[in-house]
Amino acid sequence: TDDPRVPTIVREVVNPLEGVITLHEMEILNIVFPNKGSRRNLSPTEEAAEILYIKPIIRKIYDQQKASGEVTGKFRTFFASVLGISETTLQRKESIGKLSNAAKEAVEDGRMTATAAAELSSLSVDAQDDALAVIDEEGIRPTVQAIKDQKRPQEQESLVETVPNPEGQVLS
């Protein structure tokens, strides 16, 4: 507001990475990272969305630093270190973004752990919903083992469809 009676503090965003990321991208990072420690309680799906949102910005920084020799190694290692988490934790958080709506709801409700969600995320969205439906019908929690048990028949079906027989024909 332009009302002089409203106390305001105006701060200019400084972009030390000008030429690498835009001023808008720097603003995003200035919002995300200072709030990380005292984080408003983000849900797992909100964390996954945030990671997905900042990933391209961090990728630009990584590419620039890799080109200048300031950093070596894989992007995932760099990104996890920027976030202050392990690569495994990063993978789990990213996998939640690949879940179907029903699977995301199970994570949000606390019925499924992030580790189980990571296991489930390797399936297609339809297969995720099918696996969760079977698990729910059986009345068990969607644990890592329960999901692996549901994945096994689907993986075997896909192998049968793509394995050639001795004459070189693909079985269907």
Side-chain angles (χ1 to χ4, degrees):
T1 182
D2 292 332
D3 187 342
R5 297 172 290 168
V6 177
T8 57
I9 297 173
V10 179
R11 293 191 176 142
E12 184 179 337
V13 175
V14 177
N15 186 357
L17 298 169
E18 193 172 334
V20 178
I21 63 174
T22 67
L23 189 59
H24 176 70
E25 291 168 329
M26 182 55 75
E27 285 179 293
I28 291 168
L29 296 180
N30 281 333
I31 292 169
V32 170
F33 285 104
N35 293 319
K36 274 251 168 285
S38 61
R39 191 44 117 199
R40 64 234 179 249
N41 293 327
L42 291 181
S43 70
T45 55
E46 289 170 332
E47 281 185 327
E50 187 175 81
I51 286 170
L52 184 64
Y53 190 57
I54 66 170
K55 189 174 185 175
I57 301 169
I58 303 301
R59 170 64 81 170
K60 287 180 181 181
I61 297 168
Y62 168 80
D63 289 344
Q64 184 271 331
Q65 290 186 0
K66 181 128 182 160
S68 69
E70 294 175 54
V71 70
T72 59
K74 300 182 292 183
F75 173 70
R76 178 175 294 279
T77 306
F78 178 80
F79 191 30
S81 70
V82 166
L83 295 173
I85 58 178
S86 71
E87 289 181 60
T88 304
T89 301
L90 173 60
Q91 188 275 325
R92 282 190 206 121
K93 290 177 185 286
E94 286 181 312
S95 69
I96 291 171
K98 300 174 188 172
L99 295 175
S100 70
N101 289 335
K104 285 179 183 175
E105 189 176 304
V107 173
E108 291 296 313
D109 294 347
R111 291 180 286 132
M112 182 167 47
T113 66
T115 305
E119 186 69 34
L120 186 64
S121 72
S122 65
L123 297 173
S124 70
V125 171
D126 290 337
Q128 291 174 26
D129 289 341
D130 292 345
L132 283 177
V134 170
I135 289 169
D136 283 344
E137 285 172 14
E138 293 174 359
I140 57 176
R141 282 182 54 88
T143 62
V144 173
Q145 189 57 52
I147 291 166
K148 283 182 179 180
D149 292 345
Q150 290 304 310
K151 284 174 61 175
R152 215 169 275 124
Q154 292 178 14
E155 289 169 350
Q156 289 171 347
E157 283 177 23
S158 69
L159 282 176
V160 168
E161 292 173 5
T162 59
V163 175
N165 69 12
E167 290 82 40
Q169 299 168 329
V170 175
L171 301 174
S172 55

